[in-house]
Amino acid sequence: MNRRRTKAAAAGALLGLTLAGCSLGGVQSIPLPGGADLGGHPYTVRAQFADVLDLVPQAAVRVNDVAVGRVSSIRLADDGWSALVTMKVNGKVRLPANAYAHLEQSSLLGEKYVQLSAPPAGEPARGRLAGGSLIPTSHTNRNPEVEEVFGALSLLLNGGGIQQLKTVSVELNKALTGNEPQVRDMLTQVDTLVGDLDSHKQDITDALDGVNELSATLAARDQKIGTVLTGLSPGLKVLDQQRGSLVTMLRALDTLSGVAVDTVNRSKDDMVADLQALAPTLQRLADSGKDLPDSLQVLLTYPFTDEVLSGVKGDYLNVYLDLTAVPGTQLVPILESKDNSYDSTAQPQDGTPRSKKPKQQKQPRNQGGLPMTLPLPLPSVTTTSGGR
């Protein structure tokens, strides 16, 4: 009877476990005995790994090798290249916001677990790791797998380098012996180059992003580029047909350049002599200073200033002007005086012989019968003794 009750209880327990497993989403959702104590108020932390290997849900989450939580789920991240691990951590655990997550193994063939740690000594801690925080890929890493170590060791032992170590060592000794300063200088330059590349990594990244954008733009305009290349083909055919003429032209240009260079070399002495002969003239022009531009101001100016007299000593300066009156202008004739006319009949009262008065010259008249006016008088100037 007791055995029957025990079997019934075991069956009931198994059925309850099965129903519980169906309602909670599988066996993986059932907490394992002996796991980490999450306390009454655990918080959720997410970490993005480039590779989680064979990490499974319910794996331990440790801090300083002390279990403080467990992995609740593992899924593909939104970028499609990394894994997103969701963990539940005891609420009493305090970590900075820039904490690191490492995927480690408990032993050589043991289980995988996630190790949470504070940032290294060179990086200051910031803030606090709270619920819903995400540890980025730059703060996650993993240890090498045993299979990877054995594979590298197998490659090394099976003709991958052991047999050649002696040869490599001997050749390195031959190459480095006596060249230590040069090798040290080369290593220094390599270190400087690597440092410069590291300091300009943002610029290099920006350049690569620009090349990526250019490639995307070219890919979006591939039809237009194809049309342009198709339109260039007739021109390329013409250039190919006229290749002989182009080659001949370039050869003629080469010959012409040779002749030009030879001509310049031959006439170099004469050119230098001409420039040297021109130097005194240029020096006199430079010595004239402001006198030359001042003289040009009065060269074509009427009436001329007194400065012109110094340039026309001993000669006359005549100016002929043709003036055209504005239509409608009234010309006033010159009045003639009767006192200046010649009188041949007038006889003096005292019996003295009469004197002939010079008869006034007849005023010239134009075709209309009006007297012609004389030209305007020149301005009065005082001539020097050398003038005429």
Side-chain angles (χ1 to χ4, degrees):
M1 188 68 181
N2 292 333
R3 292 180 179 179
R4 292 179 179 178
R5 290 180 180 177
T6 303
K7 291 181 178 181
L14 181 60
L15 179 60
L17 182 61
T18 304
L19 294 177
C22 294
S23 62
L24 295 177
V27 179
Q28 294 179 351
S29 62
I30 301 175
L32 298 178
D37 183 14
L38 300 180
H41 302 283
Y43 61 93
T44 303
V45 178
R46 296 177 299 165
Q48 192 169 354
F49 288 87
D51 187 4
V52 291
L53 300 176
D54 55 350
L55 182 70
V56 295
Q58 300 300 327
V61 177
R62 300 183 182 184
V63 175
N64 295 330
D65 289 333
V66 177
V68 296
R70 63 174 180 266
V71 176
S72 59
S73 66
I74 303 173
R75 66 179 181 86
L76 187 65
D78 294 336
D79 58 3
W81 292 96
S82 57
L84 186 63
V85 178
T86 304
M87 301 166 285
K88 286 186 178 181
V89 183
N90 193 310
K92 296 181 180 180
V93 177
R94 299 290 186 270
L95 290 172
N98 56 341
Y100 281 71
H102 297 270
L103 186 60
E104 299 182 2
Q105 196 168 357
S106 59
S107 62
L108 186 61
L109 299 176
E111 65 173 354
K112 302 289 191 307
Y113 67 91
V114 179
Q115 178 83 9
L116 299 179
S117 62
E123 182 180 351
R126 300 191 306 271
R128 177 184 172 184
L129 189 66
S133 301
L134 175 64
I135 301 176
T137 310
S138 58
H139 285 194
T140 60
N141 200 350
R142 69 175 182 89
N143 291 336
E145 286 285 283
V146 177
E147 294 84 354
E148 296 174 353
V149 175
F150 285 162
L153 185 60
S154 174
L155 179 64
L156 181 64
L157 296 177
N158 296 329
I162 290 293
Q163 299 177 0
Q164 289 81 19
L165 283 179
K166 181 179 179 180
T167 304
V168 172
S169 178
V170 172
E171 295 299 330
L172 282 177
N173 290 332
K174 291 181 180 179
L176 298 179
T177 301
N179 298 321
E180 291 83 358
Q182 292 82 356
V183 174
R184 188 179 297 108
D185 182 66
M186 182 193 69
L187 294 178
T188 303
Q189 294 180 6
V190 170
D191 181 69
T192 304
L193 174 61
V194 173
D196 292 340
L197 292 176
D198 181 70
S199 61
H200 292 85
K201 58 184 178 182
Q202 185 62 39
D203 298 335
I204 296 173
T205 303
D206 295 340
L208 294 177
D209 292 339
V211 172
N212 186 24
E213 293 179 0
L214 177 61
S215 301
T217 303
L218 294 177
R221 300 179 179 179
D222 55 349
Q223 295 182 355
K224 296 182 180 179
I225 296 174
T227 303
V228 172
L229 294 178
T230 304
L232 284 177
S233 58
L236 295 177
K237 291 181 180 179
V238 173
L239 290 178
D240 181 68
Q241 294 174 358
Q242 297 182 357
R243 181 176 58 182
S245 301
L246 292 176
V247 172
T248 304
M249 180 188 69
L250 293 177
R251 289 177 179 174
L253 286 176
D254 180 66
T255 305
L256 177 62
S257 63
V259 173
V261 171
D262 183 68
T263 303
V264 171
N265 292 333
R266 291 176 179 272
S267 61
K268 179 175 63 177
D269 297 336
D270 296 337
M271 187 178 298
V272 172
D274 293 340
L275 294 176
Q276 291 177 352
L278 189 60
T281 303
L282 298 177
Q283 185 63 38
R284 296 298 182 271
L285 290 175
D287 295 339
S288 64
K290 295 180 59 179
D291 296 339
L292 181 60
D294 291 342
S295 63
L296 295 176
Q297 294 179 0
V298 299
L299 183 61
L300 298 176
T301 304
Y302 180 82
F304 301 110
T305 61
D306 295 342
E307 296 295 333
V308 181
L309 298 177
S310 60
V312 292
K313 290 182 179 179
D315 205 342
Y316 293 101
L317 183 63
N318 297 326
V319 177
Y320 298 94
L321 298 177
D322 294 333
L323 301 179
T324 302
V326 179
T329 303
Q330 183 179 2
L331 300 178
V332 180
I334 299 178
L335 298 179
E336 296 181 359
S337 177
K338 294 182 179 182
D339 296 336
N340 294 333
S341 61
Y342 177 77
D343 189 1
S344 60
T345 60
Q347 193 67 263
Q349 299 294 331
D350 55 359
T352 58
R354 64 183 181 184
S355 60
K356 291 185 178 180
K357 294 182 180 181
K359 184 181 293 185
Q360 186 177 1
Q361 294 181 356
K362 192 173 182 180
Q363 182 73 19
R365 296 179 180 273
N366 54 16
Q367 295 180 358
L370 298 178
M372 297 178 60
T373 59
L374 296 177
L376 295 176
L378 293 175
S380 59
V381 293
T382 304
T383 59
T384 58
S385 59
R388 292 185 297 174

